[in-house]
Amino acid sequence: DVLAIADAVLSTSAMIGYARSSDADKFLVVTECGLSDRLLMEIPDKHFYKVCKLCRFMKMITLEGTLDSLRHLRYEIELPEDVRMGAKRALERMLELSV
């Protein structure tokens, strides 16, 4: 529902660029807490209303744990096909934007 009414749905760097180049001086930002704080620091002349959620599970993921999981093929996650395809599209889009 939020996506349908959002002015923009962007990556982290794109959100910063959007806010920086926008004529608006007030933004409602719905994202992870770290990005909200970064916007406040990098663009102090604009006001950001923060609605952030700290994901405790995301903070538990480490590079070492990911490497271990891949090496030993453990912690398999099964997802419905529509969710898997949506995640695949999001990852592919992030990789396209990073070039």
Side-chain angles (χ1 to χ4, degrees):
D1 293 344
V2 173
L3 299 178
I5 61 171
D7 291 328
V9 179
L10 306 165
S11 67
T12 299
S13 58
M15 278 191 221
I16 292 168
Y18 180 89
R20 206 176 253 134
S21 65
S22 173
D23 292 334
D25 64 345
K26 295 181 180 120
F27 301 87
L28 172 62
V29 182
V30 181
T31 187
E32 201 271 335
C33 299
L35 175 59
S36 297
D37 295 338
R38 184 172 165 192
L39 285 165
L40 291 168
M41 289 188 316
E42 290 194 26
I43 312 171
D45 56 321
K46 297 191 177 185
H47 187 80
F48 298 94
Y49 296 93
K50 302 181 340 175
V51 180
C52 69
K53 179 74 175 154
L54 185 61
C55 176
R56 71 175 196 249
F57 299 109
M58 188 63 140
K59 300 301 180 187
M60 293 168 54
I61 298 171
T62 65
L63 287 176
E64 295 82 12
T66 302
L67 179 59
D68 181 66
S69 176
L70 292 169
R71 273 192 181 138
H72 302 288
L73 298 176
R74 59 176 111 173
Y75 312 120
E76 182 177 354
I77 298 170
E78 293 184 24
L79 299 170
E81 186 62 13
D82 62 323
V83 173
R84 188 189 72 76
M85 290 305 296
K88 181 181 177 191
R89 279 192 303 277
L91 288 170
E92 288 171 345
R93 185 72 179 125
M94 283 190 287
L95 292 171
E96 287 172 15
L97 293 170
S98 69
V99 178

